[in-house]
PDB file of all heavy atoms in Angstrom:
ATOM      1  N   SER A 209      69.143 111.190 113.340  1.00 98.00           N
ATOM      2  CA  SER A 209      68.369 109.945 113.364  1.00 98.00           C
ATOM      3  C   SER A 209      69.214 108.763 113.813  1.00 98.00           C
ATOM      4  O   SER A 209      68.684 107.777 114.326  1.00 98.00           O
ATOM      5  CB  SER A 209      67.773 109.663 111.976  1.00 98.00           C
ATOM      6  OG  SER A 209      68.780 109.336 111.030  1.00 98.00           O
ATOM      7  N   TYR A 210      70.523 108.856 113.628  1.00 98.00           N
ATOM      8  CA  TYR A 210      71.406 107.758 114.023  1.00 98.00           C
ATOM      9  C   TYR A 210      71.680 107.768 115.531  1.00 98.00           C
ATOM     10  O   TYR A 210      72.002 106.728 116.114  1.00 98.00           O
ATOM     11  CB  TYR A 210      72.747 107.839 113.298  1.00 98.00           C
ATOM     12  CG  TYR A 210      72.672 107.782 111.796  1.00 98.00           C
ATOM     13  CD1 TYR A 210      73.689 108.316 111.009  1.00 98.00           C
ATOM     14  CD2 TYR A 210      71.586 107.198 111.139  1.00 98.00           C
ATOM     15  CE1 TYR A 210      73.638 108.270 109.626  1.00 98.00           C
ATOM     16  CE2 TYR A 210      71.527 107.160 109.760  1.00 98.00           C
ATOM     17  CZ  TYR A 210      72.551 107.695 108.999  1.00 98.00           C
ATOM     18  OH  TYR A 210      72.503 107.659 107.634  1.00 98.00           O
ATOM     19  N   ARG A 211      71.632 108.934 116.137  1.00 97.00           N
ATOM     20  CA  ARG A 211      71.880 109.069 117.570  1.00 97.00           C
ATOM     21  C   ARG A 211      70.560 109.440 118.259  1.00 97.00           C
ATOM     22  O   ARG A 211      69.496 109.143 117.760  1.00 97.00           O
ATOM     23  CB  ARG A 211      72.978 110.123 117.826  1.00 97.00           C
ATOM     24  CG  ARG A 211      74.301 109.838 117.085  1.00 97.00           C
ATOM     25  CD  ARG A 211      74.960 108.551 117.550  1.00 97.00           C
ATOM     26  NE  ARG A 211      76.145 108.185 116.794  1.00 97.00           N
ATOM     27  CZ  ARG A 211      77.378 108.560 117.093  1.00 97.00           C
ATOM     28  NH1 ARG A 211      77.605 109.369 118.113  1.00 97.00           N
ATOM     29  NH2 ARG A 211      78.403 108.141 116.369  1.00 97.00           N
ATOM     30  N   ASN A 212      70.603 110.129 119.392  1.00 96.00           N
ATOM     31  CA  ASN A 212      69.378 110.523 120.082  1.00 96.00           C
ATOM     32  C   ASN A 212      69.694 111.611 121.113  1.00 96.00           C
ATOM     33  O   ASN A 212      70.842 112.038 121.271  1.00 96.00           O
ATOM     34  CB  ASN A 212      68.693 109.321 120.741  1.00 96.00           C
ATOM     35  CG  ASN A 212      69.589 108.597 121.727  1.00 96.00           C
ATOM     36  OD1 ASN A 212      70.156 109.207 122.627  1.00 96.00           O
ATOM     37  ND2 ASN A 212      69.730 107.281 121.572  1.00 96.00           N
ATOM     38  N   TYR A 213      68.680 112.039 121.826  1.00 97.00           N
ATOM     39  CA  TYR A 213      68.793 113.118 122.817  1.00 97.00           C
ATOM     40  C   TYR A 213      69.872 112.814 123.854  1.00 97.00           C
ATOM     41  O   TYR A 213      70.728 113.659 124.149  1.00 97.00           O
ATOM     42  CB  TYR A 213      67.424 113.283 123.488  1.00 97.00           C
ATOM     43  CG  TYR A 213      67.332 114.343 124.560  1.00 97.00           C
ATOM     44  CD1 TYR A 213      66.955 115.647 124.245  1.00 97.00           C
ATOM     45  CD2 TYR A 213      67.571 114.029 125.891  1.00 97.00           C
ATOM     46  CE1 TYR A 213      66.837 116.614 125.233  1.00 97.00           C
ATOM     47  CE2 TYR A 213      67.469 114.980 126.885  1.00 97.00           C
ATOM     48  CZ  TYR A 213      67.106 116.277 126.558  1.00 97.00           C
ATOM     49  OH  TYR A 213      66.986 117.227 127.539  1.00 97.00           O
ATOM     50  N   ASP A 214      69.837 111.623 124.403  1.00 97.00           N
ATOM     51  CA  ASP A 214      70.795 111.267 125.445  1.00 97.00           C
ATOM     52  C   ASP A 214      72.221 111.193 124.920  1.00 97.00           C
ATOM     53  O   ASP A 214      73.180 111.526 125.630  1.00 97.00           O
ATOM     54  CB  ASP A 214      70.408 109.937 126.092  1.00 97.00           C
ATOM     55  CG  ASP A 214      69.131 110.047 126.926  1.00 97.00           C
ATOM     56  OD1 ASP A 214      68.848 111.158 127.413  1.00 97.00           O
ATOM     57  OD2 ASP A 214      68.429 109.036 127.066  1.00 97.00           O
ATOM     58  N   THR A 215      72.389 110.739 123.675  1.00 97.00           N
ATOM     59  CA  THR A 215      73.721 110.687 123.079  1.00 97.00           C
ATOM     60  C   THR A 215      74.364 112.065 123.086  1.00 97.00           C
ATOM     61  O   THR A 215      75.511 112.244 123.510  1.00 97.00           O
ATOM     62  CB  THR A 215      73.663 110.180 121.622  1.00 97.00           C
ATOM     63  OG1 THR A 215      72.845 109.026 121.527  1.00 97.00           O
ATOM     64  CG2 THR A 215      75.052 109.877 121.100  1.00 97.00           C
ATOM     65  N   TYR A 216      73.623 113.048 122.602  1.00 97.00           N
ATOM     66  CA  TYR A 216      74.176 114.393 122.498  1.00 97.00           C
ATOM     67  C   TYR A 216      74.389 115.019 123.879  1.00 97.00           C
ATOM     68  O   TYR A 216      75.368 115.732 124.094  1.00 97.00           O
ATOM     69  CB  TYR A 216      73.281 115.268 121.616  1.00 97.00           C
ATOM     70  CG  TYR A 216      73.548 115.060 120.145  1.00 97.00           C
ATOM     71  CD1 TYR A 216      72.997 113.985 119.456  1.00 97.00           C
ATOM     72  CD2 TYR A 216      74.383 115.916 119.435  1.00 97.00           C
ATOM     73  CE1 TYR A 216      73.251 113.783 118.117  1.00 97.00           C
ATOM     74  CE2 TYR A 216      74.650 115.729 118.085  1.00 97.00           C
ATOM     75  CZ  TYR A 216      74.082 114.656 117.434  1.00 97.00           C
ATOM     76  OH  TYR A 216      74.354 114.459 116.097  1.00 97.00           O
ATOM     77  N   ASN A 217      73.480 114.768 124.811  1.00 96.00           N
ATOM     78  CA  ASN A 217      73.672 115.289 126.163  1.00 96.00           C
ATOM     79  C   ASN A 217      74.960 114.769 126.785  1.00 96.00           C
ATOM     80  O   ASN A 217      75.655 115.488 127.512  1.00 96.00           O
ATOM     81  CB  ASN A 217      72.486 114.901 127.054  1.00 96.00           C
ATOM     82  CG  ASN A 217      71.397 115.950 127.049  1.00 96.00           C
ATOM     83  OD1 ASN A 217      71.578 117.049 126.536  1.00 96.00           O
ATOM     84  ND2 ASN A 217      70.253 115.617 127.613  1.00 96.00           N
ATOM     85  N   PHE A 218      75.296 113.525 126.487  1.00 96.00           N
ATOM     86  CA  PHE A 218      76.481 112.907 127.077  1.00 96.00           C
ATOM     87  C   PHE A 218      77.760 113.288 126.339  1.00 96.00           C
ATOM     88  O   PHE A 218      78.783 113.599 126.961  1.00 96.00           O
ATOM     89  CB  PHE A 218      76.322 111.384 127.088  1.00 96.00           C
ATOM     90  CG  PHE A 218      77.477 110.655 127.701  1.00 96.00           C
ATOM     91  CD1 PHE A 218      77.660 110.645 129.077  1.00 96.00           C
ATOM     92  CD2 PHE A 218      78.393 109.982 126.907  1.00 96.00           C
ATOM     93  CE1 PHE A 218      78.744 109.984 129.651  1.00 96.00           C
ATOM     94  CE2 PHE A 218      79.472 109.315 127.458  1.00 96.00           C
ATOM     95  CZ  PHE A 218      79.645 109.311 128.845  1.00 96.00           C
ATOM     96  N   THR A 219      77.720 113.261 125.023  1.00 96.00           N
ATOM     97  CA  THR A 219      78.945 113.438 124.239  1.00 96.00           C
ATOM     98  C   THR A 219      79.208 114.877 123.812  1.00 96.00           C
ATOM     99  O   THR A 219      80.342 115.229 123.494  1.00 96.00           O
ATOM    100  CB  THR A 219      78.934 112.548 122.986  1.00 96.00           C
ATOM    101  OG1 THR A 219      77.861 112.965 122.121  1.00 96.00           O
ATOM    102  CG2 THR A 219      78.760 111.086 123.352  1.00 96.00           C
ATOM    103  N   GLN A 220      78.163 115.717 123.767  1.00 97.00           N
ATOM    104  CA  GLN A 220      78.322 117.077 123.245  1.00 97.00           C
ATOM    105  C   GLN A 220      77.807 118.124 124.229  1.00 97.00           C
ATOM    106  O   GLN A 220      77.242 119.144 123.840  1.00 97.00           O
ATOM    107  CB  GLN A 220      77.591 117.217 121.896  1.00 97.00           C
ATOM    108  CG  GLN A 220      77.928 116.169 120.874  1.00 97.00           C
ATOM    109  CD  GLN A 220      79.405 116.118 120.529  1.00 97.00           C
ATOM    110  OE1 GLN A 220      80.095 117.124 120.535  1.00 97.00           O
ATOM    111  NE2 GLN A 220      79.908 114.919 120.226  1.00 97.00           N
ATOM    112  N   ALA A 221      77.990 117.862 125.501  1.00 96.00           N
ATOM    113  CA  ALA A 221      77.508 118.794 126.531  1.00 96.00           C
ATOM    114  C   ALA A 221      78.207 120.154 126.415  1.00 96.00           C
ATOM    115  O   ALA A 221      79.297 120.275 125.845  1.00 96.00           O
ATOM    116  CB  ALA A 221      77.748 118.197 127.917  1.00 96.00           C
TER     117      ALA A 221
END
Side-chain angles (χ1 to χ4, degrees):
S209 69
Y210 300 156
R211 304 296 175 90
N212 57 53
Y213 179 91
D214 291 333
T215 313
Y216 278 81
N217 269 350
F218 181 75
T219 64
Q220 308 302 327

